[in-house]
Amino acid sequence: AEPPSPGPAAARQPSVFERTMNNMYGLVVLVNPALILLALGTVDLATITEHPNNILSVIGLRVGGQWLSMLVSLDAVVVLSGGVLTAYVGVVGLIRQLAHDRCLPQFLTHTNQAFHSNHWIILTFFLLCSTLYFLTAGDVTVLSGVFSLAFLLVLLCFAGANMTLKVQRPRLPRAVRQSWPAVLLGFGAMLAGFVGVAAYRPQLLGYFLLYLAFYLCVILLTFQRVLLAKGLLYFCRQVPLLDKLFASSLVQAILRMKKFSVVFFTETADIHVLNEAALYAKNNENCDHLIIAHIICSSSKPHVPMLLKENLPLLDHMYPKMKIDLLLVECDQGFCPQIVRLLSNDLKVSTSFMFMRCPGSSFPYNIAEFDGVRTIMQ
């Protein structure tokens, strides 16, 4: 499958995503309190409790009559239709990226000839949404509650990722930095919202955890696909009939799973750095080929290429099941996004499987310019 295009946030120009989020928060702060005041000033609490899912149309009926109620309902249909379309677009992009990064099964990236779309992703998402609808008997209140829990968990993950970056990647240059009090305040607010929604209707948490567990199990099984295939192969070896039918196919499948390359860009020849990169590739990628790349330029240290050549045999002895190659590239610009894209095309290795050390504050590029190159160590 072709590498997926960047996600909506990554594809935008610098600072556009930040301005979009600020505008969205501003509208939420203004519109939500206004709607609440409108509801309280127009109908009583008993009416709001009686019509939790269509209170705006009820307000429209009370204020302007049938025509306004119909207009509000029509607007809701248009907004929800756009929301459904946006959900499919976002989910297809997300799952395609995860499958491309080998976090989900590879068959999800298949495209059909008629529309050139990822039909397996669309069908899977439709089936998951349909099963949730039938499990909840179409109760809109329950469905909205499950969505609220999912959205709050995403926001919690944002805050958690921010804290992780502060601890694990403090040197990583980034345009926006939030203070610890601001991050902790946001995390606490989202956690309070999550606990409040779960406590208000405990059954929502059950539906939410059911689908979350299913998704995490699929990811875990994908990560352990080689180990599972080896387990199946061992089981087949114990039964002569199964050994004859499936053993050779399983061996070929295991070889295909491990037959891909990863690239590690290094500016140093320190053996502990190279060992950490090889260990990361071995434990996290199940690959059989590691390419250690060093960019030679006027500012690079002249002794590094020679030391890399001397240390490479040691790495070969430490990881006999992994092929480790050294790639020396001369580039006047040094390590830059252009050379990364060039090597990605020449080596047929996606930038998602290229690694580097965490750059410092003097690094002249934004890490987002490298199209997904991972920082795997401090």
Side-chain angles (χ1 to χ4, degrees), residues 53-90:
N53 300 322
N54 63 330
I55 186 60
L56 286 180
S57 64
V58 173
I59 294 174
L61 181 63
R62 179 75 60 88
V63 173
Q66 187 67 31
W67 71 271
L68 186 56
S69 177
M70 291 294 294
L71 183 62
V72 171
S73 300
L74 180 62
D75 178 72
V77 171
V78 173
V79 171
L80 289 175
S81 299
V84 171
L85 178 61
T86 303
Y88 271 96
V89 172

Side-chain angles (χ1 to χ4, degrees), residues 173-195:
R174 42 193 182 271
V176 180
R177 287 181 179 268
Q178 294 295 337
S179 63
W180 272 106
V183 176
L184 292 174
L185 177 62
F187 184 85
M190 295 304 105
L191 183 61
F194 186 92
V195 173

Side-chain angles (χ1 to χ4, degrees), residues 113-128:
Q113 298 297 322
F115 303 103
H116 303 286
S117 59
N118 303 109
H119 50 280
W120 289 118
I121 299 177
I122 296 172
L123 290 173
T124 302
F125 184 59
F126 173 76
L127 288 175
L128 288 175

Side-chain angles (χ1 to χ4, degrees), residues 132-147 149 194-211:
L132 180 60
Y133 179 84
F134 286 115
L135 282 176
T136 59
D139 191 332
V140 178
T141 304
V142 175
L143 291 171
S144 62
V146 175
F147 173 80
L149 289 176
F194 186 92
V195 173
V197 173
Y200 176 67
R201 280 201 171 189
Q203 72 175 120
L204 300 178
L205 191 61
Y207 291 123
F208 173 75
L209 292 178
L210 174 65
Y211 281 82

Side-chain angles (χ1 to χ4, degrees), residues 4 44 59 88 107 110 132 181 190 205 212 228 245 254 257-258 261 271 273 275 278 292 296 298 301 314 317 355 375:
D44 53 26
I59 294 174
Y88 271 96
F107 77 89
H110 292 172
L132 180 60
M190 295 304 105
L205 191 61
L212 180 62
L228 289 174
L245 293 176
I254 293 172
M257 292 178 193
K258 300 185 67 173
S261 305
I271 190 64
V273 172
N275 177 60
I292 298 175
I296 302 174
S298 58
K301 299 176 182 178
L314 179 59
H317 286 292
F355 316 135
T375 58

